[in-house]
Each structure stands twice: as C-alpha cells, then as structure tokens.
Amino acid sequence: IDLYGFAREFRSDLSALFDRRGMDLTVERPAEYDIYTKKMHRSEWSSILLNLLTNSIKAAKRVQRPGRFLIRVGTAGPGFVFLEFIDNGDGIPRENRERVFDAFFTTTGGSSGRDSDATQAIGTGLGLKIVADIAQSAGGRAEVVDPPDGYATSIRITVPAGSPEPDNEVEA
C-alpha cells in the first residue's frame, strides 16, 4: 500500500466531517518516494486510521480544542516504513506510553452511545490495542513517540516496506 496516497485518500474521504466540525487534518508530503508497505489489506489501514482519528477527536474534545491532526509517512531504517498520526489533544503521560496498547487500558473511563458529546470523549481501551495488533500481525509495531512542537500526541506505526508493484496490495 502506498502510505502517502492512502493517507491522502483518507483525508479526502473525510473532508466533509473535518469541515463540518471545524477540524483540520494535514497529510505532510514525505521527503522520500516509494513509501510502500508489505502486502497488507486496505481495510487494515482504514481500521488503523479510523481508530487513531477517533482517539484524537476525543482527546481534542477533552481539552475543548478544535481538532488539529497531522499524518506523516516515511522510511524507518532499512526495510521499514512508518505512518505517524499526530494530534493536539490532551496527550499521553510518559508513564502510560507502553500501556495504551494494552486491551481495556484507558485513563478516561467508559461511556454509552446515549451519553453527551463531552462524556463520549472517553474510551473503552480497545482502539489502540487494535492498531497495535494490526501492526504486529504485519511484522511491525505501534508506539508513542514525541510529537512535534504544537502537538500533544504522536502514534507511530512501523511496518515492513514493500514495493510499488501492482500485486503489492491484497484485494478484498
């Protein structure tokens, strides 16, 4: 999967949501070319990005900010590529950086579908576990890394690199 192209499609597909809610998602152009993953299904990356976006929207709501999100892609050493999802929410305390990928770990409690928007800004502790499981099943990893200035959280997904060959993507 072409990570830069996929991230741009994701941004385009959700542009109405971002505009309606006053949120901004920027997909930064990578310095390198050919940022392809190993053979993976597009639905895996859709799940990763939707889980990261959902968490980021909740994090921005908790600090009552309009969501500002950034996606970066690039190479991560020989044979690996990465995608970083960065937000301006409430951040992840350093002591929780490893635990956020554990099933049911949350620092915010739970909510029901009938709760207010503010109450729904808390989670179940499964989103980042799903993200980590997908990355691990592809031979990679998910981790919290230091965000750039002006942002609070950065989640990096690193997976083995692939080639831009037409058969690189697994079809549904």
PDB file of all heavy atoms in Angstrom, residues 109-123:
ATOM      1  N   GLY A 109     -12.045   6.183  31.475  1.00  0.00           N
ATOM      2  CA  GLY A 109     -13.308   5.528  31.812  1.00  0.00           C
ATOM      3  C   GLY A 109     -14.074   5.115  30.576  1.00  0.00           C
ATOM      4  O   GLY A 109     -13.545   5.081  29.484  1.00  0.00           O
ATOM      5  N   GLY A 110     -15.375   4.825  30.729  1.00  0.00           N
ATOM      6  CA  GLY A 110     -16.195   4.368  29.612  1.00  0.00           C
ATOM      7  C   GLY A 110     -17.410   5.232  29.435  1.00  0.00           C
ATOM      8  O   GLY A 110     -17.721   6.079  30.254  1.00  0.00           O
ATOM      9  N   SER A 111     -18.114   5.028  28.320  1.00  0.00           N
ATOM     10  CA  SER A 111     -19.324   5.794  28.046  1.00  0.00           C
ATOM     11  C   SER A 111     -20.295   4.937  27.252  1.00  0.00           C
ATOM     12  O   SER A 111     -19.936   3.905  26.726  1.00  0.00           O
ATOM     13  CB  SER A 111     -18.995   7.068  27.266  1.00  0.00           C
ATOM     14  OG  SER A 111     -18.572   6.746  25.955  1.00  0.00           O
ATOM     15  N   SER A 112     -21.529   5.403  27.155  1.00  0.00           N
ATOM     16  CA  SER A 112     -22.524   4.714  26.329  1.00  0.00           C
ATOM     17  C   SER A 112     -22.886   5.619  25.167  1.00  0.00           C
ATOM     18  O   SER A 112     -22.603   6.810  25.174  1.00  0.00           O
ATOM     19  CB  SER A 112     -23.776   4.404  27.157  1.00  0.00           C
ATOM     20  OG  SER A 112     -24.531   5.588  27.344  1.00  0.00           O
ATOM     21  N   GLY A 113     -23.544   5.055  24.169  1.00  0.00           N
ATOM     22  CA  GLY A 113     -23.946   5.816  22.997  1.00  0.00           C
ATOM     23  C   GLY A 113     -24.949   6.903  23.316  1.00  0.00           C
ATOM     24  O   GLY A 113     -25.147   7.823  22.528  1.00  0.00           O
ATOM     25  N   ARG A 114     -25.613   6.821  24.450  1.00  0.00           N
ATOM     26  CA  ARG A 114     -26.608   7.830  24.831  1.00  0.00           C
ATOM     27  C   ARG A 114     -26.005   9.007  25.583  1.00  0.00           C
ATOM     28  O   ARG A 114     -26.695   9.971  25.880  1.00  0.00           O
ATOM     29  CB  ARG A 114     -27.711   7.173  25.675  1.00  0.00           C
ATOM     30  CG  ARG A 114     -28.529   6.155  24.897  1.00  0.00           C
ATOM     31  CD  ARG A 114     -29.658   5.590  25.745  1.00  0.00           C
ATOM     32  NE  ARG A 114     -29.179   4.958  26.961  1.00  0.00           N
ATOM     33  CZ  ARG A 114     -28.859   3.674  27.084  1.00  0.00           C
ATOM     34  NH1 ARG A 114     -28.967   2.878  26.053  1.00  0.00           N
ATOM     35  NH2 ARG A 114     -28.444   3.192  28.230  1.00  0.00           N
ATOM     36  N   ASP A 115     -24.727   8.924  25.917  1.00  0.00           N
ATOM     37  CA  ASP A 115     -24.087   9.996  26.674  1.00  0.00           C
ATOM     38  C   ASP A 115     -23.870  11.236  25.805  1.00  0.00           C
ATOM     39  O   ASP A 115     -23.890  11.168  24.576  1.00  0.00           O
ATOM     40  CB  ASP A 115     -22.736   9.524  27.224  1.00  0.00           C
ATOM     41  CG  ASP A 115     -22.892   8.485  28.320  1.00  0.00           C
ATOM     42  OD1 ASP A 115     -23.950   8.458  28.967  1.00  0.00           O
ATOM     43  OD2 ASP A 115     -21.955   7.695  28.510  1.00  0.00           O
ATOM     44  N   SER A 116     -23.625  12.356  26.443  1.00  0.00           N
ATOM     45  CA  SER A 116     -23.360  13.607  25.731  1.00  0.00           C
ATOM     46  C   SER A 116     -22.036  13.510  24.979  1.00  0.00           C
ATOM     47  O   SER A 116     -21.224  12.622  25.230  1.00  0.00           O
ATOM     48  CB  SER A 116     -23.289  14.755  26.732  1.00  0.00           C
ATOM     49  OG  SER A 116     -22.120  14.618  27.523  1.00  0.00           O
ATOM     50  N   ASP A 117     -21.816  14.473  24.067  1.00  0.00           N
ATOM     51  CA  ASP A 117     -20.552  14.505  23.331  1.00  0.00           C
ATOM     52  C   ASP A 117     -19.359  14.569  24.271  1.00  0.00           C
ATOM     53  O   ASP A 117     -18.352  13.908  24.055  1.00  0.00           O
ATOM     54  CB  ASP A 117     -20.506  15.718  22.390  1.00  0.00           C
ATOM     55  CG  ASP A 117     -21.260  15.479  21.096  1.00  0.00           C
ATOM     56  OD1 ASP A 117     -21.671  14.329  20.855  1.00  0.00           O
ATOM     57  OD2 ASP A 117     -21.418  16.438  20.329  1.00  0.00           O
ATOM     58  N   ALA A 118     -19.467  15.365  25.321  1.00  0.00           N
ATOM     59  CA  ALA A 118     -18.350  15.506  26.262  1.00  0.00           C
ATOM     60  C   ALA A 118     -18.071  14.187  26.963  1.00  0.00           C
ATOM     61  O   ALA A 118     -16.916  13.794  27.134  1.00  0.00           O
ATOM     62  CB  ALA A 118     -18.653  16.595  27.287  1.00  0.00           C
ATOM     63  N   THR A 119     -19.114  13.471  27.354  1.00  0.00           N
ATOM     64  CA  THR A 119     -18.933  12.193  28.034  1.00  0.00           C
ATOM     65  C   THR A 119     -18.395  11.144  27.068  1.00  0.00           C
ATOM     66  O   THR A 119     -17.594  10.296  27.442  1.00  0.00           O
ATOM     67  CB  THR A 119     -20.257  11.716  28.653  1.00  0.00           C
ATOM     68  OG1 THR A 119     -20.730  12.734  29.528  1.00  0.00           O
ATOM     69  CG2 THR A 119     -20.079  10.432  29.426  1.00  0.00           C
ATOM     70  N   GLN A 120     -18.802  11.210  25.799  1.00  0.00           N
ATOM     71  CA  GLN A 120     -18.313  10.254  24.818  1.00  0.00           C
ATOM     72  C   GLN A 120     -16.862  10.507  24.438  1.00  0.00           C
ATOM     73  O   GLN A 120     -16.273   9.736  23.704  1.00  0.00           O
ATOM     74  CB  GLN A 120     -19.196  10.260  23.574  1.00  0.00           C
ATOM     75  CG  GLN A 120     -20.540   9.595  23.820  1.00  0.00           C
ATOM     76  CD  GLN A 120     -21.351   9.462  22.561  1.00  0.00           C
ATOM     77  OE1 GLN A 120     -20.802   9.222  21.502  1.00  0.00           O
ATOM     78  NE2 GLN A 120     -22.649   9.601  22.685  1.00  0.00           N
ATOM     79  N   ALA A 121     -16.270  11.559  24.956  1.00  0.00           N
ATOM     80  CA  ALA A 121     -14.872  11.855  24.683  1.00  0.00           C
ATOM     81  C   ALA A 121     -13.955  10.965  25.513  1.00  0.00           C
ATOM     82  O   ALA A 121     -12.778  11.236  25.662  1.00  0.00           O
ATOM     83  CB  ALA A 121     -14.576  13.328  24.946  1.00  0.00           C
ATOM     84  N   ILE A 122     -14.499   9.920  26.083  1.00  0.00           N
ATOM     85  CA  ILE A 122     -13.712   8.950  26.833  1.00  0.00           C
ATOM     86  C   ILE A 122     -13.768   7.631  26.083  1.00  0.00           C
ATOM     87  O   ILE A 122     -14.529   7.480  25.138  1.00  0.00           O
ATOM     88  CB  ILE A 122     -14.218   8.844  28.282  1.00  0.00           C
ATOM     89  CG1 ILE A 122     -15.701   8.532  28.324  1.00  0.00           C
ATOM     90  CG2 ILE A 122     -13.958  10.131  29.015  1.00  0.00           C
ATOM     91  CD1 ILE A 122     -16.284   8.490  29.712  1.00  0.00           C
ATOM     92  N   GLY A 123     -12.973   6.667  26.448  1.00  0.00           N
ATOM     93  CA  GLY A 123     -12.873   5.469  25.625  1.00  0.00           C
ATOM     94  C   GLY A 123     -12.991   4.161  26.367  1.00  0.00           C
ATOM     95  O   GLY A 123     -13.093   4.122  27.586  1.00  0.00           O
TER      96      GLY A 123
END
